[in-house]
Amino acid sequence: MSEIRKVRGFQDIYGENVKKYRYVVDTARRIFEKYNFQEIILPYVEDVSLFIRSVGEATDIVQKEMYIFEDRGGRKVALRPEGTASAVRAYIEEKLYTKGGYQKLFYEGAMFRYERPQAGRYRQFHQIGAEIFGVDSPIADAELIKMVKDILDNLNIQTRLEINTLGDFECRKIYVEKLKAFLKEREEYLCEDCKKRIERNPLRILDCKVESCKKITEDAPVLTDFLSDRSVERFEKIKEYLKGLDIDFVVNPRLVRGLDYYTDTVFEFITDKIGAQGTVAAGGRYDTLVKQLGGPDTPALGFAAGIERLMLLIDNIPEGKPLVVVIPVISEFNLQGLKVSQMLRNKGIKTELILKEGSLKSRMKLANKLGGKYVVFVSEKPELKDMSSGEQEIFQNLDDIIDVLEEKI
Ligand code: ATP
Ligand code: MG
């Protein structure tokens, strides 16, 4: 019979990779908790219109990347391509705004986008992300960026931080008209995708990776020249706070992000080490989105980071707890082996009882292969072997071995 294979763009994460995955998530989780964010577990399936109304009708995600299907009840649903839209929906639907003050949420999990698979780009990928609802102050922008930086620092990942401001809704409208006029004059030199984007999503053209488009937009009007005083002030404050926190950054006036909902602050943490897929974490403000989706007028901001991209940048993860391997020397000692293993585990020690019977030699080999740091031989005269030094010692009874191991580990 023919073998069934995984679907293109989807991956199994196992072995060392799953350790890296957990290391990334556990590290992020620790930092989120330090900043007093609360976890929210969001559904993987949402009404399609949620993404059309938030991410944006004309964006790549909505135009060509969503997994959309009709469920058996005839509902048109999508596998979530990102987390912010769901977080906003939940904020409104669960009336989190009635809890007073502001809300700081984090999430973790799979996202789905029908993209061309390559290193660092998959059709199912995973993100960690966080959102802050109900804070207008630029303190929040600075603190959010600092938190992302903390996560990256803790993972020992070097990146450069780029920031920009897209201005508020009003100044952006004026700018977009200017930009459109500029692009229309040069339409014939743009790539096919960008030609279509002039009307629908001209800002996105500034983010196009095609060389000829990059060249043309070099001389395009920049948003910075159209910003309102309020936007300029906010941006200045954020820069001041970041400097005060000793966070290096560059202002990239062409940084626009691929999603429609951003206002004012946008930022990306970028690396050159993994090719074109260089953005590892990205985010910004979206002050109009909550209202746009039917909630109360609520300023908000957030970020998301791709776990697989972070994994690509991690060389080694801290060693886990040392492994103790238990070998009953002959089968008469199997039950005792089971019991000793249990006692070790009760003490919090990572323990592998060799489950195969056979020659002592073959089971020692197995212990080695499993990466055992200590081996306990269960017999009338129990022994403990330290695999790194090779030292082996005979004990009066197993309890003494357990005591010694507890002390060492
Ligand atoms: P890109 O420009 O790389 O397509 P994006 O702007 O679409 O990224 P966002 O929607 O902001 O990305 O998602 C935040 C992060 O999620 C990205 O910075 C990246 O680390 C990760 N990410 C996005 N799409 C994918 C994907 N298809 N595969 C793996 N990771 C992804
Ligand atoms: Mg993308």
Side-chain angles (χ1 to χ4, degrees):
M1 263 203 291
S2 69
E3 203 182 315
I4 297 173
R5 292 174 174 265
K6 53 184 180 272
V7 175
R8 183 166 148 81
F10 290 71
Q11 314 189 78
D12 300 309
I13 304 176
Y14 62 97
E16 278 305 302
N17 273 338
V18 88
K19 286 187 191 162
K20 279 190 185 174
Y21 185 101
R22 283 296 156 221
Y23 176 55
V24 169
V25 173
D26 293 347
T27 303
R29 205 173 257 282
R30 223 179 51 235
I31 308 282
F32 289 145
E33 269 159 22
K34 270 198 210 175
Y35 281 80
N36 198 30
F37 278 67
Q38 309 295 319
E39 181 164 16
I40 183 161
I41 300 178
L42 297 159
Y44 281 76
V45 170
E46 296 273 7
D47 193 315
V48 173
S49 42
L50 172 65
F51 302 109
I52 297 176
R53 281 173 56 189
S54 56
V55 174
E57 178 91 61
T59 58
D60 287 352
I61 292 179
V62 168
Q63 283 290 316
K64 50 188 189 195
E65 295 175 2
M66 272 207 290
Y67 279 88
I68 298 176
F69 60 96
E70 207 167 275
D71 74 7
R72 287 174 194 270
R75 297 171 195 87
K76 214 169 169 205
V77 295
L79 295 181
R80 64 179 190 192
E82 59 110 53
T84 300
S86 301
V88 173
R89 187 212 28 79
Y91 178 80
I92 299 167
E93 191 168 356
E94 312 304 341
K95 299 194 169 49
L96 300 183
Y97 48 84
T98 59
K99 296 199 183 298
Y102 47 83
Q103 293 288 312
K104 301 198 296 187
L105 305 173
F106 78 89
Y107 61 84
E108 171 227 324
M111 306 293 162
F112 303 85
R113 296 184 194 175
Y114 196 80
E115 301 194 73
R116 197 168 67 78
Q118 51 200 291
R121 194 178 291 288
Y122 315 96
R123 289 179 176 172
Q124 178 184 328
F125 61 101
H126 301 78
Q127 283 183 339
I128 43 171
E131 319 288 346
I132 304 174
F133 293 103
V135 186
D136 181 49
S137 168
I139 306 180
D141 305 56
E143 195 179 62
L144 180 73
I145 292 173
K146 171 68 178 145
M147 179 170 76
V148 182
K149 179 85 168 69
D150 271 5
I151 294 173
L152 296 170
D153 285 349
N154 270 269
L155 293 170
N156 213 355
I157 291 175
Q158 276 83 43
T159 52
R160 85 177 167 273
L161 168 62
E162 293 189 358
I163 62 171
N164 189 24
T165 178
L166 300 179
D168 49 38
F169 189 74
E170 287 309 315
C171 47
R172 197 151 83 205
K173 220 164 70 186
I174 302 168
Y175 170 67
V176 164
E177 286 315 312
K178 294 272 182 221
L179 181 64
K180 266 192 200 168
F182 172 90
L183 293 166
K184 264 190 202 143
E185 278 170 27
R186 294 153 181 84
E187 184 168 352
E188 54 188 308
Y189 307 109
L190 293 170
C191 75
E192 287 311 306
D193 279 338
C194 282
K195 278 188 183 134
K196 287 183 225 144
R197 286 174 182 141
I198 294 182
E199 281 307 320
R200 286 210 305 241
N201 195 8
L203 279 178
R204 173 70 176 74
I205 299 178
L206 300 177
D207 192 36
C208 184
K209 307 285 185 285
V210 176
E211 267 322 306
S212 49
C213 294
K214 276 192 188 170
K215 191 100 198 103
I216 286 163
T217 53
E218 262 170 29
D219 306 317
V222 283
L223 183 57
T224 328
D225 299 332
F226 296 84
L227 294 175
S228 66
D229 293 347
R230 202 194 119 272
S231 282
V232 173
E233 235 166 78
R234 169 191 291 283
F235 198 44
E236 287 308 315
K237 278 276 173 242
I238 294 168
K239 288 193 277 187
E240 178 193 323
Y241 296 154
L242 292 179
K243 280 182 197 149
L245 290 169
D246 286 326
I247 298 176
D248 290 327
F249 62 86
V250 280
V251 175
N252 174 1
R254 299 157 60 89
L255 183 67
V256 291
R257 312 285 307 113
L259 299 84
D260 275 0
Y261 51 63
Y262 288 109
T263 50
D264 283 310
T265 324
V266 286
F267 62 87
E268 290 193 359
F269 286 87
I270 304 168
T271 165
D272 298 320
K273 289 194 195 129
I274 47 175
Q277 276 58 250
T279 303
V280 293
R285 259 196 185 269
Y286 48 91
D287 283 347
T288 55
L289 184 57
V290 178
K291 192 168 179 198
Q292 206 176 300
L293 290 179
D297 206 349
T298 310
L301 63 162
F303 90 97
I307 297 177
E308 285 82 356
R309 292 205 193 158
L310 296 172
M311 285 163 62
L312 288 173
L313 293 163
I314 293 172
D315 303 322
N316 36 38
I317 47 178
E319 246 177 77
K321 285 187 179 176
L323 175 69
V324 172
V325 177
V326 175
I327 304 181
V329 171
I330 48 171
S331 58
E332 275 67 26
F333 291 101
N334 282 357
L335 177 59
Q336 223 177 339
L338 281 162
K339 285 185 178 170
V340 173
S341 303
Q342 232 32 66
M343 284 157 80
L344 285 165
R345 289 170 189 143
N346 288 344
K347 303 261 183 205
I349 295 172
K350 184 159 79 170
T351 307
E352 172 84 27
L353 168 66
I354 295 286
L355 300 174
K356 286 196 168 179
E357 301 190 80
S359 75
L360 191 56
K361 199 175 153 202
S362 71
R363 286 181 295 156
M364 254 323 268
K365 248 191 181 161
L366 200 50
N368 225 333
K369 210 171 178 172
L370 290 164
K373 287 276 174 288
Y374 300 96
V375 178
V376 179
F377 296 100
V378 186
S379 73
E380 232 140 278
K381 285 211 176 87
E383 289 183 50
L384 175 66
K385 181 168 183 170
D386 182 329
M387 297 294 270
S388 8
S389 66
E391 258 170 62
Q392 195 160 330
E393 200 184 333
I394 302 174
F395 284 76
Q396 281 307 314
N397 55 59
L398 282 160
D399 287 344
D400 291 345
I401 293 190
I402 293 173
D403 288 345
V404 168
L405 283 172
E406 211 186 353
E407 206 154 285
K408 283 185 194 278
I409 292 174

